[in-house]
Amino acid sequence: MSARDGVLARVRRAARHEVSHPGAFEPARMDSGWERFASTLHAVGGEPVGPVQSGDLSWALSELCADAGRVVMGPGVAQSLGPGPWEELPEGVSPQSLADVAVALLRGSIGVAENGAVALDGRHAPVRALPYLCERLILLLETSEIVPDMHQAIARMPPDATRFHHFYWISGPSKTADIEQTLVLGAHGPRSLAVVGIRDLQ
Amino acid sequence: MSELLDARAATLLPDGEPLRRHDAAVFDLRRRRDAAVAALPDFEALRTHAQAIKTHTLDYLDAYLERFESQAAAAGAVVHWAEDGAAHNDIVHGLLRERGVRRVVKSKSMLTEECGLNPYLEARDLEVVDTDLGERIVQLGQELPSHIVVPAVHRSRAEIGELFHVHMQTPSGESDPVRLTEYARRDLRPRFLAAEAGITGVNFAIAETGTIVVCTNEGNADLGMSLPPLHIASMGIEKVIPTLADLATFLRLLARSATGQPITAYTSLVTGPRAGGELHIVLVDNGRSRLLANSTHRSSLACIRCGACLNTCPVYRRAGGHAYGQAVAGPIGAVLAPALSSQAEGRRLPLASTLCGSCSAVCPVRIDLHGQLLAWRRTRAHAGAGERVLQRAAAVVLGRAALLRAAGALVRLCWPLLARRWPGNPLGVWLLGRQLPAHPGASFATRYRRLKGSKR
Amino acid sequence: MDVALFIPCYVDQLAPSVGLAALRVLEHVGCRVHYDPRQTCCGQPFINTGATREAARLARAHLALFEKADAVVCPSASCVSTVRHRYAELGLELGPDAQRLCARTFELGEFLVRELDRSELGSRFPHRVALLQSCHGLRELELGHPSERVYATRPEPGVTERLLRAVEGLELVWPERPDECCGFGGAFSVKFPEVSTRMGRDRVRALAATEAEYVTGSDVSCLLHLDGVARREGLGPRPIHLAEILASGLDG
Ligand code: SF4
């Protein structure tokens, strides 16, 4: 008998097939405004920026990226920006070639007010390692895409989200407290994370 | 006598400063948890919901495993099954060998600790680098993690500085956590870039979609599974949950219970391999199906490894994780050890608790941890023949009022002798750090008789 | 009201004054108290170490002895929790009467407050007193509010606290980490004496920091353990059982 069949046979014998699934959870009502999202994000070490009008986005990002070194922007960001101190993510590059990226500018989707997380869909970060290799990560987020809690956040994920290999929830910068519980930002991934709220992204 | 949690054992956290620091650091996590969960008005209902999902999933685990397997395979992952730790290590090694891999980066996974993967691979000439900072520290120190969430919590900053100095040539005497973390980052970054394979654990596996979910704060797992072409994810068969919607419940509970964060910095949902890469998922049993068949203890499989029961446990905080002698310490470690550990020592661990119940009260999936410890005690696996005889005798004495009172009279007579420390004093163990109370005088029964007799 | 007084073995032998105080308090509130001297031990020490056979024998004897009681009152929370919650795990096949008896076995304080609705007894104890919330009383009998739990609305004070607040002259103080275990744990205290006393020492220090004259609680065993540690350390408030405080200053 293969290991698979052996394990499954034992599990089948032990499984009771009694208790049914409890269904959906009804969470307590909570606020989903930018203010609450921003304060949670701040608490987890992230920087809320804005919200800005889409017309002002290019200017706001130039400020954020000034003198940063290599700035790379992902799909879905470029069309809303004019020229600036950034380059578009080249197609078909190896992740290793992005090891020197200082700032990654990526388009986030759903924001979660209760935990400051922003969804980063695989389509907006085609090189999977980019948001972890950069020194600083900047995510764009439409304020209308903020939901109060994780239940609604997951319900909002596009139905094909899991077909694009990876889908991230990112809440604040990389951090560790492994040395005497002292919080240090930038353990391996980005040392800082900014989320730029946009009122009317096209 | 066994040396678990024993003062004579080198594994017990040293008294004094290390003990004080450990207790404070770990209890701080409990405090953060309290603050975080207090902000959720529906927290207790959420725990109940999470428990219900887990109970259901374990009841239908066969179906969910098969569903997960077929969905993961449809997304392009290769699913392997392992009966035990040895089989798991063998599968992982085989995958690495076939591809000529020499350098592996690994993120935190309690399962691989349980299976002893690192020593197995190192003995076969592979370079395995633990990339979670805490794991890296215990790897450099050649020891087991002492906590499932903060593996190096037993180490002081000075000790960590010394380890880094020896192994990474950092300046001697450096003990600043910010700078030490920066040194580790610089040491590990090139290893990530050069690695040919990344091994990660799995926090949740979603049957509906074949997705694995990995939660970290450092981002190390993400670098490990996105830079090298080969990603191996090891998971216990109990990690599967039915749907994506269920994930929300667990994500709301996990980090809050663990460290008081509202969610970990990174929650990565991975479905199938990335373009040009490979994803292998190893499903490990290693005693879990046996535990599932045990109706008293199956609920301990619901554990999501948040560490909250360790953080709140007054015994764990005063003993340190190494005193448990297992990959997983604390209340959940003591609950799992009799079922999953190969060592005989593990069977005594259910005794290592005062049954204060704080673990059960924090557990986000409502495992009745102290009830489980008590249930393991009922198996009597820990009790030797001598102890059984003594207990039988004690039960006879305590079962009859006359014998109880006679024994009590004898004890009261010998009180001054028993209160002193001398070799052979049957109360010697009590007197190690305590004294006897003042002489109690006549028993309640005697005084009651006098009182009521005189009134009549 | 008729109540049966249950004085557990170790209270009978090691802390008889607690039994007398409980008797005094119950009579003061007008109960007719019945005490049967044939009672011994609820079986907790055996349940605690998994000696089910011995425990079952003691449990059966205990239930038989109190068979006729309408309510059993006991000044030791852990023994009450044993009867109420653990007897069911011994495989005794408890009938409806036995189950009712288990459910109607009360810790002294909860009996006064929950059953008789009495928290003001007229006791007087003009001292600064720290409260030690013993784990079984707190988490299994819910005599207070465990710090782990999230309450949707702020609950009213727990049973023990309500009783102490009603004592004239008593100043109630809480140690840091108000419900951390003292480290007794029955067999634990002798199987792992080092860790047990480490826990005890930390509790004693936290209690000493409150500058209380006394430390009180509803479980005698925890108080005895703490007393032992405090004497060895030469530190900390003197232990006094809840029943003894409640019995202080009662007239007649
Ligand atoms: S047993 Fe519960 S509290 Fe302990 S680690 Fe597992 S989930 Fe967390």
Side-chain angles (χ1 to χ4, degrees):
Chain A
M1 194 159 46
S2 73
R4 174 187 188 276
D5 296 344
V7 173
L8 273 177
R10 281 199 306 278
V11 170
R12 198 166 296 125
R13 240 176 292 132
R16 292 180 303 200
H17 299 168
E18 274 171 19
V19 179
S20 53
H21 190 281
F25 184 75
E26 283 295 330
R29 249 173 222 290
M30 286 199 275
D31 174 27
S32 64
W34 166 263
E35 305 306 320
R36 174 150 178 262
F37 171 82
S39 84
T40 318
L41 178 64
H42 183 77
V44 297
E47 298 160 40
V49 179
V52 300
Q53 300 292 318
S54 56
D56 300 332
L57 184 59
S58 183
W59 176 83
L61 290 176
S62 311
E63 291 277 291
L64 284 173
C65 302
D67 309 318
R70 186 175 176 198
V71 181
V72 171
M73 60 184 173
V77 179
Q79 60 278 45
S80 44
L81 300 180
W86 38 67
E87 58 179 283
E88 274 189 59
L89 177 65
E91 265 186 52
V93 291
S94 77
Q96 278 80 0
S97 71
L98 298 169
D100 63 339
V101 169
V103 181
L105 211 59
L106 301 171
R107 172 151 179 201
S109 39
I110 318 149
V112 194
E114 71 159 318
N115 58 26
V118 175
L120 181 55
D121 190 311
R123 279 161 286 204
H124 296 133
V127 179
R128 205 188 160 325
L130 178 59
Y132 299 92
L133 283 170
C134 58
E135 295 278 311
R136 176 168 170 74
L137 177 62
I138 301 179
L139 295 172
L140 308 187
L141 176 68
E142 268 187 84
T143 53
S144 61
E145 285 199 274
I146 297 174
V147 297
D149 59 54
M150 209 56 209
H151 304 283
Q152 293 197 35
I154 292 216
R156 275 253 198 146
M157 283 172 63
D160 56 354
T162 54
R163 284 189 27 231
F164 288 84
H165 174 262
H166 56 280
F167 189 100
Y168 304 130
W169 293 100
I170 296 180
S171 166
S174 162
K175 55 178 76 76
T176 182
D178 273 338
I179 304 179
E180 285 197 10
Q181 303 323 107
T182 310
L183 181 70
V184 183
L185 301 184
H188 293 287
R191 299 171 198 274
S192 67
L193 166 85
V195 177
V196 182
I198 304 166
R199 280 252 193 262
D200 52 343
L201 189 70
Q202 270 96 44
Chain B
M1 175 147 167
S2 146
E3 292 200 324
L4 289 171
L5 277 75
D6 191 295
R8 285 162 300 174
T11 50
L12 191 76
L13 197 69
D15 216 338
E17 184 54 23
L19 170 63
R20 198 204 53 74
R21 191 173 37 70
H22 183 264
D23 171 61
V26 178
F27 194 74
D28 187 52
L29 292 172
R30 158 75 208 276
R31 282 213 170 102
R32 287 167 194 269
R33 172 257 177 215
D34 289 355
V37 301
L40 290 190
D42 48 3
F43 176 70
E44 298 294 345
L46 199 60
R47 288 173 72 209
T48 305
H49 189 73
Q51 178 190 33
I53 296 172
K54 280 287 185 181
T55 309
H56 162 73
T57 312
L58 291 173
D59 259 23
Y60 290 87
L61 191 59
D62 51 342
Y64 285 122
L65 281 170
E66 284 181 300
R67 177 113 174 106
F68 173 74
E69 178 189 40
S70 69
Q71 291 298 82
V78 183
V79 179
H80 307 259
W81 297 74
E83 289 272 3
D84 54 20
H88 161 264
N89 295 348
D90 208 47
I91 291 168
V92 172
H93 179 233
L95 291 168
L96 299 173
R97 196 187 46 220
E98 283 159 25
R99 288 158 189 78
V101 171
R102 302 248 58 92
R103 282 164 303 190
V104 182
V105 284
K106 192 168 144 277
S107 66
K108 201 162 82 203
S109 144
M110 291 321 298
L111 177 69
T112 59
E113 294 287 348
E114 178 187 319
C115 299
L117 179 67
N118 279 16
Y120 183 90
L121 293 181
E122 277 155 12
R124 284 153 188 80
D125 271 341
L126 279 138
E127 181 194 282
V128 186
V129 175
D130 271 311
T131 56
D132 171 86
L133 179 58
E135 287 278 334
R136 183 70 179 145
I137 294 166
V138 298
Q139 185 180 38
L140 293 177
Q142 297 185 318
E143 54 189 356
L144 281 177
S146 71
H147 186 293
I148 57 179
V149 172
V150 280
V153 69
H154 59 289
R155 289 283 195 175
S156 71
R157 61 180 74 194
E159 289 171 327
I160 295 167
E162 181 57 25
L163 272 176
F164 281 19
H165 173 61
V166 171
H167 295 275
M168 303 185 325
Q169 290 75 50
T170 59
S172 151
E174 180 62 82
S175 66
D176 175 60
V178 177
R179 281 193 293 271
L180 289 175
T181 304
E182 183 62 28
Y183 286 124
R185 177 185 171 112
R186 285 192 204 151
D187 179 69
L188 288 167
R189 185 54 77 93
R191 297 178 194 267
F192 276 117
L193 291 167
E196 297 135 333
I199 300 177
T200 71
V202 171
N203 290 89
F204 307 98
I206 302 168
E208 179 187 28
T209 56
T211 302
I212 57 172
V213 183
V214 182
C215 306
T216 71
N217 277 316
E218 299 183 3
N220 59 316
D222 288 284
L223 285 171
M225 58 192 173
S226 60
L227 287 169
L230 172 64
H231 173 197
I232 302 174
S234 297
M235 59 177 270
I237 52 172
E238 82 285 13
K239 291 283 178 222
V240 69
I241 58 174
T243 66
L244 205 51
D246 293 327
L247 179 64
T249 296
F250 294 107
L251 291 180
R252 294 186 79 196
L253 290 168
L254 178 64
R256 286 187 172 97
S257 300
T259 58
Q261 295 170 267
I263 188 168
T264 49
Y266 301 111
T267 305
S268 303
L269 282 64
V270 173
T271 318
R274 69 186 158 91
E278 285 182 83
L279 171 62
H280 292 260
I281 301 172
V282 190
L283 293 170
V284 184
D285 183 340
N286 204 33
R288 287 164 175 77
S289 59
R290 207 172 346 110
L291 199 51
L292 188 70
N294 182 329
S295 57
T296 310
H297 290 290
R298 60 159 43 194
S299 65
S300 54
L301 286 171
C303 173
I304 58 172
R305 300 286 190 275
C306 72
C309 59
L310 283 73
N311 300 340
T312 201
C313 178
V315 173
Y316 168 82
R317 278 187 267 110
R318 309 285 183 329
H322 290 155
Y324 290 75
Q326 310 286 323
V328 179
I332 184 64
V335 164
L336 293 174
L340 302 186
S341 169
S342 46
Q343 299 143 285
E345 285 285 79
R347 289 202 288 274
R348 256 191 104 238
L349 276 181
L351 291 177
S353 163
T354 60
L355 305 180
C356 76
S358 186
C359 46
S360 309
V362 294
C363 178
V365 289
R366 290 194 189 276
I367 300 173
D368 177 18
L369 288 155
H370 73 299
Q372 293 277 315
L373 291 172
L374 202 47
W376 278 121
R377 293 181 189 187
R378 284 199 289 273
T379 65
R380 305 290 277 153
H382 57 83
E387 188 169 334
R388 284 166 198 242
V389 171
L390 270 178
Q391 283 197 320
R392 219 164 296 152
V396 170
V397 174
L398 289 182
R400 285 208 193 97
L403 288 178
L404 169 63
R405 308 252 142 77
L410 186 66
V411 167
R412 274 194 294 276
L413 195 66
C414 303
W415 198 268
L417 209 59
L418 291 171
R420 276 206 309 276
R421 281 194 278 182
W422 46 273
N425 183 343
L427 298 186
V429 185
W430 176 268
L431 295 174
L432 277 177
R434 291 161 288 219
Q435 293 184 2
L436 283 197
H439 193 291
S443 74
F444 174 80
T446 307
R447 295 198 207 182
Y448 181 87
R449 200 174 52 233
R450 281 184 204 144
L451 189 72
K452 296 297 168 183
S454 66
K455 273 191 191 165
R456 261 185 222 134
Chain C
M1 182 172 194
D2 282 78
V3 302
L5 184 61
F6 169 38
I7 300 299
C9 52
Y10 77 105
V11 178
D12 176 54
Q13 294 297 319
L14 300 177
S17 56
V18 173
L20 292 173
L23 174 66
R24 173 100 183 75
V25 169
L26 287 169
E27 289 182 338
H28 175 80
V29 296
C31 291
R32 277 182 304 279
V33 184
H34 305 274
Y35 172 74
D36 187 332
R38 288 170 301 166
Q39 60 182 272
T40 55
C41 169
C42 64
Q44 180 177 198
F46 302 95
I47 290 177
N48 187 295
T49 51
T52 309
R53 206 146 33 106
E54 287 79 3
R57 203 176 314 134
L58 289 170
R60 229 178 280 123
H62 179 89
L63 291 172
L65 194 84
F66 286 96
E67 198 179 23
K68 300 245 152 51
D70 175 50
V72 179
V73 180
C74 166
S76 169
S78 59
C79 302
V80 173
S81 180
T82 297
V83 174
R84 202 183 295 168
H85 298 301
R86 300 294 168 201
Y87 275 14
E89 296 168 0
L90 293 174
L92 286 176
E93 294 178 11
L94 304 174
D97 286 348
Q99 283 180 22
R100 186 171 169 280
L101 184 58
C102 292
R104 293 204 45 86
T105 298
F106 300 102
E107 181 272 332
L108 175 68
E110 71 171 342
F111 179 74
L112 295 170
V113 175
R114 289 186 184 144
E115 287 299 300
L116 303 184
D117 200 17
R118 292 283 302 265
S119 46
E120 300 202 13
L121 312 180
S123 324
R124 202 183 118 72
F125 193 73
H127 298 282
R128 190 178 167 92
V129 177
L131 176 58
L132 175 77
Q133 305 188 85
S134 288
C135 305
H136 292 103
L138 180 67
R139 299 196 184 83
E140 293 181 352
L141 302 182
E142 300 184 47
L143 304 180
H145 307 302
S147 59
E148 299 90 2
R149 186 144 356 135
V150 175
Y151 293 90
T153 52
R154 199 193 161 86
E156 62 175 334
V159 163
T160 316
E161 182 181 346
R162 280 205 336 250
L163 286 163
L164 290 171
R165 290 219 180 278
V167 174
E168 193 193 327
L170 187 147
E171 184 194 355
L172 180 63
V173 292
W174 300 82
E176 203 218 337
R177 305 191 192 178
D179 54 14
E180 176 113 317
C181 175
C182 70
F184 175 64
F188 178 84
S189 66
V190 287
K191 290 208 184 276
F192 304 99
E194 177 69 31
V195 178
S196 172
T197 47
R198 283 179 178 189
M199 291 163 70
R201 277 203 298 271
D202 283 354
R203 262 319 53 198
V204 163
R205 282 179 202 146
L207 288 164
T210 65
E211 296 182 0
E213 299 156 76
Y214 292 91
V215 51
T216 193
S218 49
D219 217 313
V220 180
S221 55
C222 310
L223 291 172
L224 285 175
H225 163 75
L226 269 190
D227 182 39
V229 176
R231 282 160 181 266
R232 170 59 55 83
E233 300 288 305
L235 195 71
R238 281 171 49 197
I240 183 168
H241 189 272
L242 173 70
E244 295 172 294
I245 290 183
L246 296 181
S248 305
L250 298 181
D251 346 295

